[in-house]
Amino acid sequence: MSILGLKKKQPKTFKVKVITMDAEMEFSCEVKWKGKDLFDLVCRTIGLRETWFFGLRYTVKDTYAWLKTEKRVLDQEVPKDSPITFHFLAKFFPEKVEEELVQEITQHLFFLQVKKQILDEEIFCSPEASVLLASYAVQAKYGDYDPNFHKPGFLAQDELLPKRVLMQYQMTADMWEEKITAWYAEHRGIARDEAEMDYLKIAQDLEMYGVSYFSITQNKRDTDLLLGVDAQGLHIYNPNSKLNPNKSFPWSGIRNISYSEKEFTIKPLDKKKDVFKFYSSQLRVNKLILQLCIGNHDLFMRRRKVDSIEVQQMKAQAKEEKARKKVERQILAREKQMREEAERAKEEMERRLFQLQDEARLANEALLRSEETADLLAEKAQIAEEEAKLLAHKAAEAEQERQRLEVTAMKTKEEKRLMEQKMREAEQLAVKLVEQSERRSKEADHLKQDLSEAKDAERRAKQKLLEITKTTYPVIAPYPCPPPPSDGGDLGLETASARVEFKDTDMKRLSMEIERERLEYMEKSKHLQDQLKELKSEIESLKLEEQQQAGVFAHRGEARAYPDPPYIPHSNRNSAYMAQMAYFEEV
């Protein structure tokens, strides 16, 4: 067996994994394939025709490099892992995305790559522009804003803003979402490809858009600088500032770019200007800088020429495709509008149906309540009729009672009138008795006065007689002397004696008459007191009857209450009779 027979057979294929911005693909490549073969396979797989913007990038010793198309894949410094990993990315950027990016897939890949660079802070973006770009990204992902579907928190899982912007302001995730949603609602009606193109049109105005940065040093002074390569030309920056270049060399003003080992030379088109030289420390980086410069310059020159037939065909197809999509979107918008109108009409009909059902239910409930109310009213009417009959019966009874009470009242009035007449007669009798009592009292007073005068005269006569007896005639016997002769002095004495005797007799008679009249007055007073008590009891009974009838005949006036007459002692009846009369008059 020969030694050659012991050698292992070399594999004819190798595995490759290609990662795009939205997918991962694996291919089995032949050993003899060049970079162009793999690149064309990837472009055919994803349907990309604008291939001049893209390339396959890989990582070598902490730096990245682009797969060369003219050399075999395995002959380059690619990783020897299995599968070999490449990233399909945009290598060159257009000057004006709206004019140069024709295919929708090209626009989509650029949108995804630029969005990632902004979120990774490879491209500086202000907070305001970040929020606006995020709103277009949300429009491209979710379509038109629908408040019924896009509830608060629907962006919680999406990365939309750079961390630098989030840390710059003391705002919560809900507050950022509210700001983004406010702009997002303004993009209603914008299709996905249009939203992505609007995103790119804003991003292309950013200072760091499409710029590849490399560390360099200037000749002799060994000063650290940054070299920026983009679609416009070459730019020299300070290490701490990637936004504003210190010096720029546009492609239109560069005549030649060359490098020898680590030294780069930029020769301007104007020979009067100085040649600019700089150094790069790594050979691999120098090659990469040269590739980017050549590629960007070629594209710069290509943009200034007439489009090739392939590009014209692509633009025509893209225009037709846009027109077709525009028509489709219009039709879709009309259908969507019609569907929304139909849904609104359906919702309106359903709402109207629910409303009619509610009205029917309410009408049925009202009908049932009406029937119950009618039954209740019928029952109440029957009860009211019975109550009316009962009230009519009670009214008749009340009328009879009223008539009876009227008769009773008339009788009571008549009795009251008779009682008043009796009272008046009793008052008149009392007045007469008072007058008689006063007259008798006066007569008694006159008689008492006469009696007193007679007693005084008798006393004086007796005194005078005693005086005469003591001086003229001595007293001999206890018997009275015979009457003296009828002369003048004796006649006067006899006359005085007779007068005395006459006075005694009159006094007795007068005393008897006074006693008799006093007895008569007492009997009449007692009789009058009995009559007054009887009148008082009758008045009290009348007052009670009037109080009982006061509720029925209130319109006839309230019955007056007659209080009891004050009690007058028997000894003061003659002197206080006028007070009694005044009391009865008041009653």
Side-chain angles (χ1 to χ4, degrees):
M1 185 178 293
S2 63
I3 298 175
L4 296 175
L6 296 174
K7 292 183 178 179
K8 294 182 179 179
K9 294 183 179 180
Q10 295 291 334
K12 296 182 180 181
T13 60
F14 61 94
K15 298 293 183 180
V16 173
K17 182 171 72 172
V18 178
I19 301 174
T20 64
M21 294 304 301
D22 58 352
E24 291 185 4
M25 299 172 288
E26 290 189 0
F27 301 98
S28 179
C29 304
E30 296 181 6
V31 175
K32 63 180 180 179
W33 274 15
K34 295 182 179 180
K36 187 178 184 303
D37 298 327
L38 177 60
F39 181 76
D40 291 341
L41 177 61
V42 175
C43 291
R44 287 195 304 270
T45 303
I46 62 178
L48 179 68
R49 296 179 64 182
E50 296 175 277
T51 58
W52 48 86
F53 292 111
F54 297 90
L56 291 172
R57 196 177 76 177
Y58 59 92
T59 304
V60 180
K61 297 180 180 179
D62 298 331
T63 60
Y64 67 88
W66 296 92
L67 185 67
K68 297 177 182 179
T69 57
E70 67 277 3
K71 293 178 64 175
R72 290 202 310 176
V73 176
L74 295 179
D75 291 343
Q76 302 182 43
E77 295 180 338
V78 297
K80 303 306 179 183
D81 301 333
S82 182
I84 303 173
T85 303
F86 294 97
H87 290 270
F88 188 82
L89 297 172
K91 186 176 181 180
F92 307 103
F93 286 80
E95 294 182 21
K96 295 182 180 180
V97 292
E98 191 174 10
E99 295 178 3
E100 297 182 43
L101 301 183
V102 180
Q103 281 187 293
E104 184 177 345
I105 181 62
T106 309
Q107 298 174 8
H108 182 63
L109 292 175
F110 266 96
F111 163 74
L112 295 177
Q113 184 170 340
V114 172
K115 176 186 173 184
K116 186 176 185 304
Q117 288 178 336
I118 291 175
L119 294 178
D120 294 343
E121 300 183 15
E122 295 178 7
I123 298 177
F124 177 81
C125 184
S126 64
E128 295 80 7
S130 299
V131 173
L132 181 58
L133 291 174
S135 66
Y136 279 110
V138 173
Q139 177 71 21
K141 181 177 181 180
Y142 293 100
D144 291 340
Y145 174 70
D146 186 359
N148 297 324
F149 179 74
H150 301 108
K151 301 294 183 181
F154 75 103
L155 299 178
Q157 303 301 324
D158 294 330
E159 185 181 3
L160 299 173
L161 297 173
K163 293 181 179 180
R164 174 184 53 80
V165 175
L166 296 175
M167 298 296 292
Q168 186 175 354
Y169 296 93
Q170 298 296 327
M171 295 176 62
T172 63
D174 294 337
M175 297 171 68
W176 284 114
E177 179 179 318
E178 184 179 356
K179 283 186 171 295
I180 295 173
T181 305
W183 282 102
Y184 168 43
E186 299 292 330
H187 305 329
R188 185 175 181 83
I190 299 178
R192 183 181 68 87
D193 57 338
E194 294 176 347
E196 292 179 351
M197 180 56 69
D198 291 336
Y199 187 100
L200 291 174
K201 286 192 292 186
I202 296 173
Q204 73 180 354
D205 295 331
L206 301 176
E207 287 80 359
M208 297 177 66
Y209 167 80
V211 181
S212 299
Y213 294 93
F214 301 95
S215 297
I216 61 173
T217 57
Q218 199 170 1
N219 186 19
K220 295 181 181 180
R221 288 182 295 179
D222 197 22
T223 304
D224 291 334
L225 297 174
L226 287 177
L227 173 68
V229 184
D230 63 0
Q232 302 292 334
L234 298 177
H235 310 281
I236 308 300
Y237 301 87
N238 289 327
N240 298 326
S241 176
K242 295 182 179 181
L243 300 179
N244 299 316
N246 297 332
K247 186 180 294 186
S248 295
F249 300 94
W251 296 121
S252 59
I254 298 176
R255 182 179 59 180
N256 185 20
I257 298 176
S258 61
Y259 88 97
S260 174
E261 294 183 356
K262 297 181 181 181
E263 182 183 30
F264 274 85
T265 303
I266 301 175
K267 296 180 179 181
L269 189 63
D270 187 0
K271 295 182 179 180
K272 295 181 180 180
K273 293 183 179 181
D274 297 333
V275 175
F276 184 80
K277 295 183 179 181
F278 61 89
Y279 293 88
S280 177
S281 59
Q282 297 181 9
L283 181 61
R284 188 180 299 106
V285 175
N286 295 339
K287 293 181 179 180
L288 178 58
I289 292 174
L290 185 61
Q291 288 180 9
L292 291 177
C293 289
I294 295 172
N296 278 294
H297 185 267
D298 291 343
L299 287 177
F300 176 81
M301 299 302 295
R302 182 176 180 175
R303 295 185 193 103
R304 271 75 183 161
K305 296 179 182 179
V306 180
D307 293 334
S308 63
I309 296 175
E310 181 183 5
V311 175
Q312 291 178 5
Q313 290 177 352
M314 282 193 300
K315 287 185 177 180
Q317 291 176 359
K319 187 175 181 180
E320 292 176 0
E321 185 70 15
K322 286 183 179 180
R324 183 183 62 80
K325 287 185 176 181
K326 184 177 181 180
V327 174
E328 289 179 354
R329 281 197 296 268
Q330 291 177 351
I331 295 173
L332 182 62
R334 285 197 299 269
E335 291 179 353
K336 185 177 181 180
Q337 183 179 2
M338 293 175 63
R339 184 170 65 251
E340 290 177 353
E341 292 177 355
E343 289 178 355
R344 285 196 297 269
K346 180 182 178 182
E347 291 176 357
E348 180 65 22
M349 292 179 66
E350 290 178 352
R351 187 185 64 79
R352 183 60 180 166
L353 177 61
F354 292 152
Q355 184 179 359
L356 292 175
Q357 289 177 351
D358 292 338
E359 291 177 356
R361 180 177 55 79
L362 295 175
N364 289 331
E365 293 177 356
L367 179 61
L368 293 175
R369 288 196 299 270
S370 299
E371 292 177 354
E372 294 176 356
T373 305
D375 296 339
L376 183 61
L377 290 176
E379 184 178 356
K380 287 184 176 180
Q382 184 178 0
I383 295 173
E385 185 177 357
E386 294 177 356
E387 289 179 352
K389 292 180 180 179
L390 181 61
L391 289 174
H393 180 67
K394 288 184 177 180
E397 291 180 354
E399 182 65 22
Q400 294 177 0
E401 182 66 18
R402 186 186 63 80
Q403 293 176 358
R404 184 183 65 79
L405 292 174
E406 284 183 354
V407 173
T408 305
M410 292 175 65
K411 290 181 180 180
T412 304
K413 285 184 178 180
E414 183 65 22
E415 292 177 355
K416 184 178 180 181
R417 187 183 61 78
L418 293 175
M419 294 301 296
E420 289 177 352
Q421 182 178 359
K422 289 181 180 181
M423 287 178 64
R424 286 195 296 271
E425 291 177 356
E427 290 175 358
Q428 292 175 1
L429 180 59
V431 170
K432 290 180 180 180
L433 290 175
V434 169
E435 290 177 355
Q436 290 179 3
S437 176
E438 289 179 353
R439 188 173 62 255
R440 293 294 184 180
S441 178
K442 289 179 180 180
E443 290 178 356
D445 291 338
H446 287 304
L447 290 175
K448 287 181 179 179
Q449 187 176 2
D450 292 342
L451 179 60
S452 178
E453 290 177 355
K455 286 182 177 181
D456 290 339
E458 182 182 1
R459 182 178 52 79
R460 287 193 303 269
K462 285 183 178 182
Q463 185 176 4
K464 187 176 181 181
L465 180 60
L466 289 174
E467 291 177 355
I468 294 172
T469 302
K470 288 179 179 181
T471 56
T472 308
Y473 301 101
V475 180
I476 298 175
Y479 295 99
C481 294
S486 175
D487 54 1
D490 297 336
L491 183 59
L493 180 60
E494 291 177 356
T495 303
S497 302
R499 189 176 297 158
V500 171
E501 291 177 358
F502 176 74
K503 292 287 183 178
D504 292 335
T505 305
D506 291 337
M507 287 295 295
K508 293 179 180 180
R509 183 177 55 83
L510 181 59
S511 299
M512 292 176 63
E513 290 179 359
I514 290 171
E515 182 66 20
R516 181 176 54 81
E517 289 179 357
R518 187 179 66 79
L519 293 175
E520 291 177 358
Y521 175 75
M522 291 178 63
E523 290 178 357
K524 290 181 180 181
S525 298
K526 183 178 181 182
H527 179 65
L528 180 61
Q529 185 70 19
D530 294 338
Q531 288 182 350
L532 289 175
K533 288 182 179 181
E534 184 179 356
L535 287 173
K536 181 180 177 182
S537 61
E538 291 178 359
I539 289 170
E540 290 293 333
S541 62
L542 290 174
K543 284 166 60 179
L544 292 174
E545 292 180 0
E546 287 181 357
Q547 289 177 358
Q548 292 175 357
Q549 297 173 3
V552 180
F553 300 98
H555 63 280
R556 297 181 180 274
E558 296 181 356
R560 296 182 62 183
Y562 296 91
D564 297 336
Y567 174 74
I568 303 173
H570 181 73
S571 60
N572 297 329
R573 292 182 185 274
N574 293 332
S575 61
Y577 187 74
M578 293 306 294
Q580 284 184 346
M581 295 302 104
Y583 165 77
F584 282 111
E585 289 177 1
E586 181 181 358
V587 174

